[in-house]
Amino acid sequence: QVQLVESGGGLVQAGGSLRLSCATSGRTFSSSAMGWFRQPPGKEREFVATIIWGSPSTYYADSVKGRFTISRDNAKNTVYLQLNSLQPEDTAVYYCAAARTSRMVHTATAYEYWGQGTQVTVSS
């Protein structure tokens, strides 16, 4: 059974930091791109960042570039998202996802497996 389990969300003040983790199990995603998405309250799910397992290449949404960092630990089958300089507009449920392709993609339809999400709330 394929599972993606996010953790690390919480409540933080503006300017603070959080580190989200996404532990994968059930299959190897070494040939899949991994991504983070978020869904702010009352809004559509949006792309945040993506990474390829076998490469340090990453790609970010403009809204988080320079503040968020995606990384992965192949040995632990885990993907991380470091969130720095958080702002109230970053408040959302953050989702980890595994793509059907090895290429970095930013559209949700390109992702096959999804986690349940972890809540990030940033207070002003």
Side-chain angles (χ1 to χ4, degrees):
Q1 180 182 0
V2 175
Q3 284 192 312
L4 281 68
V5 180
E6 303 96 335
S7 61
L11 173 64
V12 64
Q13 289 187 330
S17 298
L18 286 172
R19 189 195 194 200
L20 307 183
S21 298
C22 172
T24 68
S25 62
R27 58 161 281 187
T28 301
F29 291 102
S30 58
S31 60
S32 301
M34 299 296 295
W36 285 94
F37 288 75
R38 67 185 182 184
Q39 188 164 15
K43 296 184 179 181
E44 298 288 319
R45 190 172 299 190
E46 61 185 29
F47 168 76
V48 175
T50 183
I51 189 169
I52 302 174
W53 282 110
S55 165
S57 297
T58 56
Y59 179 74
Y60 298 92
D62 289 342
S63 59
V64 307
K65 200 174 298 182
R67 300 188 299 123
F68 293 5
T69 303
I70 188 172
S71 62
R72 81 275 189 253
D73 185 328
N74 294 342
K76 295 182 178 180
N77 294 320
T78 300
V79 181
Y80 304 96
L81 187 67
Q82 178 68 40
L83 289 64
N84 295 331
S85 302
L86 282 161
Q87 299 301 317
E89 52 266 34
D90 295 316
T91 294
V93 177
Y94 283 72
Y95 298 90
C96 171
R100 297 184 179 88
T101 175
S102 60
R103 297 178 294 109
M104 291 188 292
V105 288
H106 63 277
T107 55
T109 54
Y111 287 80
E112 182 177 13
Y113 298 104
W114 293 82
Q116 292 300 307
T118 185
Q119 176 70 47
V120 171
T121 303
V122 184
S123 63
S124 57

